[in-house]
Structure formats: C-alpha cells, structure tokens
Amino acid sequence: FLTTTAFAQPDPPTAPMVYHEPAMDKATSKKGIPFKTHHPDTVLRYDIYYPAEQAKNPRSLPVVIFINGVGVPGLPQWKIYQDWASLIAARGMIAVTHQSRSDKTAADVAELLDYLRKNAQSLSIDKEKIGLWACSANTPTGWLTADNPENSFIRAAAIYTLVETCKLNGVD
C-alpha cells in the first residue's frame, strides 16, 4: 500500500523559522524607524532587535544586518526575518532588518550602514563590529557590500546562495 503526501511550499512572508529557543521570545524590538527619505513618498525604514537584558544594562554590542538585496518593501515583516533577528538578539547581539528599493539596493544598504554608524552610540551598536547576513537573491548585494574595501568595519558575513545566482548578477 503506497501513499503520497503533498507538501505545500512555505509562504516566505508567513513561514516561521523551525528552530526556536525561549530567549527569542524575550528579545525586544523597535520597528518602522526611518533611516532615509528619498522622496516625500519614499521613506526607508528599519527594525532593530535587542537582547532582553539590553534595556537593564545598555552597552555597545555587535550588530548583524539582514540584507534586503532584492528591494522587497515588506521584508522586515516576514516572519522568518523576524525570527532570525530574534535569534541574533537571543544570542546577545543586535539585529537589523530593513527596507530597500528594488533598483537601488546597494545604495540603500550603504545609506543604512552610514545611518547606523552615525547613530551607533544612541542605538548601542559597536560601529566597528558589524556583520551581514544575506541569502537567496539578496546575496549579490550582500557580497558587494561585504567585499567593499571602504567597509572595513564589517567583521563577518554569512552569504548563502547558489553560485548561479551570483553569476547572473555579475558577482564572481
């Protein structure tokens, strides 16, 4: 007797991360903070996630930025990105998700980095310890950002992609 089960593809905006640890539920976040206005109707925003103990004992911490290299405006609201950011906060670092424009992702990431570094003290960010996370179609922008010699403050990068994705976008 054979049976088959069809598995539905996960819906990226609503699919949660499978792994979960209790400290993720204690992370705090501030959402929808503007970092750049390009036109009166184009305001780019970011969300920032902190470890639970940060409110009681503020100190400068490393930050991990989840690169929005495809320019999906609602990416910070995707459940998986919220879960990843909460996991980073649960591990004692700060995490940032952000909006970007589809035709100017690299410029928008550069503006976000500039904003975060200029406001590092008030955001409790160690501006010399910045990490990047990029996956799927976000990786060309993530790689170009990490590989830029002007970004010596980037200390780590996690880039998850298919080699073909990079080649299609002109990254070797």
Side-chain angles (χ1 to χ4, degrees):
F1 182 94
L2 294 173
T3 62
T4 58
T5 305
F7 292 98
Q9 288 289 336
D11 178 39
T14 61
M17 185 169 70
V18 174
Y19 178 78
H20 185 82
E21 55 184 65
M24 291 168 61
D25 298 329
K26 296 176 182 165
T28 61
S29 64
K30 296 177 184 174
K31 299 186 176 189
I33 305 165
F35 71 90
K36 186 69 175 187
T37 300
H38 286 280
H39 302 290
D41 61 339
T42 306
V43 178
L44 299 177
R45 300 176 186 280
Y46 72 98
D47 297 349
I48 190 164
Y49 294 74
Y50 291 98
E53 66 276 1
Q54 185 69 8
K56 293 179 236 163
N57 182 19
R59 62 197 189 286
S60 293
L61 296 172
V63 63
V64 175
I65 300 167
F66 289 89
I67 300 296
N68 184 347
V70 292
V72 175
L75 197 72
Q77 288 78 44
W78 286 20
K79 180 66 173 140
I80 191 75
Y81 279 83
Q82 293 173 351
D83 287 353
W84 286 336
S86 294
L87 180 60
I88 292 296
R91 294 302 176 107
M93 294 177 280
I94 296 169
V96 170
T97 61
H98 67 95
Q99 295 178 319
S100 64
R101 299 166 293 165
S102 63
D103 59 339
K104 297 191 180 356
T105 59
D108 294 341
V109 169
E111 289 170 346
L112 175 68
L113 286 168
D114 185 56
Y115 173 91
L116 294 174
R117 294 190 81 234
K118 284 181 178 173
N119 294 282
Q121 185 174 5
S122 65
L123 295 171
S124 298
I125 290 173
D126 183 335
K127 68 181 183 177
E128 297 301 321
K129 293 182 180 174
I130 295 177
L132 306 178
W133 164 277
C135 64
S136 192
N138 298 301
T139 58
T141 299
W143 179 253
L144 291 171
T145 303
D147 196 42
N148 183 339
E150 294 178 14
N151 295 338
S152 61
F153 50 85
I154 295 175
R155 303 294 183 178
I159 310 285
Y160 293 97
T161 193
L162 297 172
V163 172
E164 289 77 18
T165 302
C166 286
K167 288 181 181 176
L168 286 172
N169 288 283
V171 178
D172 291 327

